[in-house]
Amino acid sequence: MKSFETDVNILILDSCASGAFMRVKGGQQVALFLLDEPSRIRGDVYLSSSTEEEASHESDEIGASFFTYSLVSLLRGAADFSQDGQVTIHEAYQYARTETLSRTESTLAGPQRPSWHIELTGTGDLVLTDLMELEAGIVFTEELEGQMFIKRGQHNIVAEINKAKGTSITIVLPVDSYTITIRNDDGTLEASITLDESSITTLTIGDFLRTKNIVTRTRGDEEMNDEELKDKIDKPVSSYDVSFIHFGFSFVPGLGVPFPNQPYYVGLDFNLVLGINYGIRGAQSGTGINIVQDTVYGAQFAVIGNIVEGGLKWFQWAGVFNIFSGSVRGLQSAGVFNIVSEDISWLQASGVFIIASGSVKGAQGAGVFNITSGTLTGVQGAGVFNITSDTFTGVQAAGVFNSAINVTGIQAGTLNIADKIEGSQIGIINIADSISGLQIGLLNIGERIDGIPIGLINISRNGLMTLSFEGDFNGFFYLSFQSGKTLYTLLSAGTQFFTVQTDPVLSTIAGLGLHFDLGPFFIEGDAAAKKLQSAGKNEKNFHSLK
């Protein structure tokens, strides 16, 4: 291995007594592994499936060796213990050893202990998988727990994860259709999804349906009676134990079906005054207020408002307001306001204002203002103002002002404010720290401009901004101001001091010019319009090039 001209070599062996080959040289060059660039790591890593005195086990059930099976899962993201979106070599070894040992410690052949040897110099860590560069993936939220099986189709298991409650986990997968099965003390859950290119699907408890357990007994055990079988199948009610009913109706909480404390998903539900349901899978309509404790999958309508503690997937309308503790994936509309605590995907519209604490992918439209605490990708439009506290990608338009941290796209409003612009700012006043693109307005202010400012006054630290005094052969003396960069604005005003005319003449000039730096020298050329006006109200207009 040391003969390869590479910074880092990684040798992975899955064979019996593979620990004895820790220092074997050789191998085949493959695609470059991801490195943490600032770390400058150099050296070799040897990872074996067992020690030099142990056998490496295979399983007919999973159709692979235990070590390779865990290795595939960890590279897909199961070993991201630090939740930083990367799987490092240390996390990979920790996961592979724990999973392989736990699966083999009770086998007839004895336990199998993966081992490793590292010969690395430098600082930092070696990154094997960057989950941020995923083709597609699944995010399992914090409330999910148990042994998870991800299958392509119905039988081909592509990853298996033992997930603890309280932490989320991201698994990278190719574009395809998958069935996810979760087994824990409360039973078996199942969900089916299809991943599109560059898509991330977040799964919550509400995305899973409970399936019946297959009751078995080991050889030699006594047969179970009917009561024991019933206990095996009918688990106590828990956060996972959610059933489904087709219809629901209530006048007020407690007078209707289902009762508020029963964890049912309802297919079609109607509430007269106030309705409280665990979840909706279909449609819900109410003349007053609808309250849902989990997620709405489908459509929800209310004359006054909707309050959902989980998320929305499809469509929601309310005459006054919508309030969400979870995320929205679909269309949300309200006569007065929408408030969402997590992410929004698709379209959100309100007559007065919208407040989103998470990120937005899609469009936001409000009669008065939009406030988004996370990133926004898409379109944000408001009658008065838009505020995005993080990165904005797309079009941000408002009648008065727009504010964002980093903008990739267009800001259009009377006043536009951003830290960094890659695109265009269009308004009366544009303010940004760094601009790559266009600023179009009466007043453009930028700390650093790598683009073209077009305005009456352009102010920047690295741009062109000069104040000069000059005269011509006609006896006019001018005070001139140039501002911009390669393209600049020229504004001049002057008068004739030495003339036989009794009435003073005022000359004003406005134009555009080009400026090119040539080392210590520069070349300039401009086109301008001149206006002469005397105290006797006589006016003359001229056009000039210089």
Side-chain angles (χ1 to χ4, degrees):
M1 281 177 55
K2 293 186 181 298
S3 64
F4 291 121
E5 296 181 359
T6 55
D7 293 333
V8 176
N9 298 307
I10 300 178
L11 175 64
I12 300 176
L13 295 172
D14 187 359
S15 63
C16 294
S18 54
F21 295 90
M22 277 297 184
R23 299 187 181 276
V24 171
K25 306 298 187 289
Q28 184 177 358
Q29 190 169 2
V30 296
L32 178 68
F33 274 90
L34 293 168
L35 289 175
D36 182 8
E37 289 297 335
S39 63
R40 301 293 183 184
I41 299 175
R42 303 289 186 273
D44 303 321
V45 176
Y46 304 89
L47 183 61
S48 67
S49 61
S50 61
T51 65
E52 59 184 3
E53 298 177 351
E54 293 174 346
S56 293
H57 308 326
E58 293 183 350
S59 169
D60 292 335
E61 180 183 1
I62 62 177
S65 72
F66 290 114
F67 176 75
T68 298
Y69 187 67
S70 64
L71 189 66
V72 172
S73 295
L74 72 87
L75 290 175
R76 293 193 184 280
D80 183 20
F81 300 117
S82 61
Q83 298 286 297
D84 62 353
Q86 295 179 330
V87 176
T88 66
I89 188 66
H90 290 84
E91 290 174 322
Y93 173 70
Q94 179 184 348
Y95 183 91
R97 179 178 173 83
T98 301
E99 289 296 310
T100 304
L101 183 59
S102 66
R103 286 175 172 273
T104 59
E105 61 183 352
S106 59
T107 61
L108 293 176
Q112 175 185 338
R113 302 175 182 86
S115 56
W116 70 343
H117 181 76
I118 294 181
E119 297 177 358
L120 293 177
T121 60
T123 59
D125 210 340
L126 179 63
V127 179
L128 300 182
T129 302
D130 187 351
L131 303 178
M132 303 302 178
E133 300 295 331
L134 54 82
E135 177 185 359
I138 303 173
V139 177
F140 295 97
T141 53
E142 296 179 355
E143 70 268 25
L144 295 172
E145 64 175 330
Q147 191 175 19
M148 299 182 177
F149 300 90
I150 303 175
K151 296 177 287 186
R152 182 184 281 120
Q154 290 294 323
H155 303 290
N156 184 16
I157 298 177
V158 296
E160 179 182 344
I161 309 114
N162 287 314
K163 183 183 177 301
K165 191 174 184 178
T167 59
S168 62
I169 188 171
T170 301
I171 301 298
V172 178
L173 295 166
V175 173
D176 210 330
S177 296
Y178 297 92
T179 299
I180 297 95
T181 303
I182 300 178
R183 296 176 183 170
N184 54 36
D185 293 338
D186 291 321
T188 302
L189 304 173
E190 193 169 281
S192 297
I193 63 169
T194 298
L195 295 180
D196 299 322
E197 187 174 357
S198 301
S199 68
I200 301 176
T201 299
T202 301
L203 294 181
T204 65
I205 292 177
D207 294 308
F208 289 84
L209 292 177
R210 183 163 182 177
T211 61
K212 289 186 177 181
N213 291 323
I214 299 174
V215 180
T216 62
R217 62 185 178 90
T218 58
R219 292 183 181 273
D221 284 351
E222 296 181 359
E223 292 187 7
M224 290 179 285
N225 57 37
D226 292 340
E227 288 298 322
E228 290 173 328
L229 282 172
K230 187 175 184 301
D231 290 339
K232 277 281 187 179
I233 297 173
D234 298 330
K235 292 282 186 180
V237 172
S238 69
S239 59
Y240 288 95
D241 201 359
V242 182
S243 300
F244 176 82
I245 61 173
H246 293 283
F247 301 101
F249 174 81
S250 66
F251 293 96
V252 293
L255 294 177
V257 177
F259 291 106
N261 61 345
Q262 292 179 314
Y264 284 105
Y265 275 99
V266 182
L268 181 62
D269 184 70
F270 176 76
N271 303 303
L272 190 60
V273 179
L274 174 65
I276 300 177
N277 294 94
Y278 180 82
I280 301 295
R281 285 182 180 269
Q284 183 183 43
S285 178
T287 58
I289 297 176
N290 297 317
I291 299 176
V292 177
Q293 298 170 346
D294 196 67
T295 303
V296 175
Y297 299 87
Q300 191 178 41
F301 305 88
V303 175
I304 297 177
N306 297 303
I307 300 174
V308 181
E309 297 180 18
L312 169 70
K313 293 186 178 180
W314 196 41
F315 177 76
Q316 185 185 53
W317 178 88
V320 181
F321 67 87
N322 295 307
I323 299 176
F324 269 84
S325 298
S327 60
V328 173
R329 294 183 182 179
L331 173 62
Q332 187 184 45
S333 176
V336 180
F337 67 88
N338 294 310
I339 297 176
V340 180
S341 298
E342 293 186 11
D343 298 340
I344 300 169
S345 298
W346 199 16
L347 176 62
Q348 193 179 36
S350 176
V352 180
F353 69 88
I354 295 172
I355 298 176
S357 300
S359 299
V360 177
K361 291 183 179 180
Q364 266 188 333
V368 180
F369 68 86
N370 297 304
I371 297 177
T372 302
S373 299
T375 61
L376 195 149
T377 303
V379 178
Q380 192 178 45
V384 180
F385 67 88
N386 296 307
I387 297 176
T388 299
S389 301
D390 207 322
T391 300
F392 182 93
T393 303
V395 178
Q396 192 180 42
V400 180
F401 78 89
N402 298 300
S403 176
I405 302 299
N406 298 320
V407 176
T408 302
I410 298 174
Q411 270 189 324
T414 304
L415 171 63
N416 299 306
I417 301 173
D419 285 354
K420 182 179 179 181
I421 287 284
E422 293 183 0
S424 301
Q425 277 185 320
I426 303 172
I428 296 177
I429 300 175
N430 300 307
I431 301 173
D433 287 341
S434 175
I435 303 106
S436 296
L438 288 174
Q439 271 189 322
I440 303 174
L442 294 180
L443 174 61
N444 298 314
I445 300 174
E447 182 72 17
R448 178 178 178 82
I449 296 178
D450 293 318
I452 301 175
I454 302 174
L456 193 64
I457 299 175
N458 305 294
I459 301 173
S460 66
R461 187 180 295 274
N462 70 325
L464 177 66
M465 191 166 57
T466 61
L467 186 65
S468 60
F469 184 74
E470 57 188 41
D472 62 18
F473 292 107
N474 296 317
F476 281 91
F477 290 88
Y478 295 94
L479 183 65
S480 300
F481 178 71
Q482 290 174 294
S483 63
K485 200 174 182 185
T486 303
L487 178 69
Y488 65 85
T489 302
L490 172 65
L491 300 174
S492 299
T495 187
Q496 280 181 313
F497 287 98
F498 307 103
T499 178
V500 296
Q501 297 183 17
T502 57
D503 295 329
V505 178
L506 176 65
S507 175
T508 55
I509 299 174
L512 295 174
L514 295 174
H515 174 95
F516 299 98
D517 289 315
L518 299 174
F521 306 100
F522 64 86
I523 298 176
E524 282 185 355
D526 58 57
K530 179 189 292 186
K531 181 178 181 180
L532 297 177
Q533 184 174 2
S534 67
K537 305 301 182 182
N538 294 320
E539 294 184 5
K540 292 183 179 181
N541 297 315
F542 301 91
H543 300 283
S544 64
L545 293 172
K546 67 175 183 177

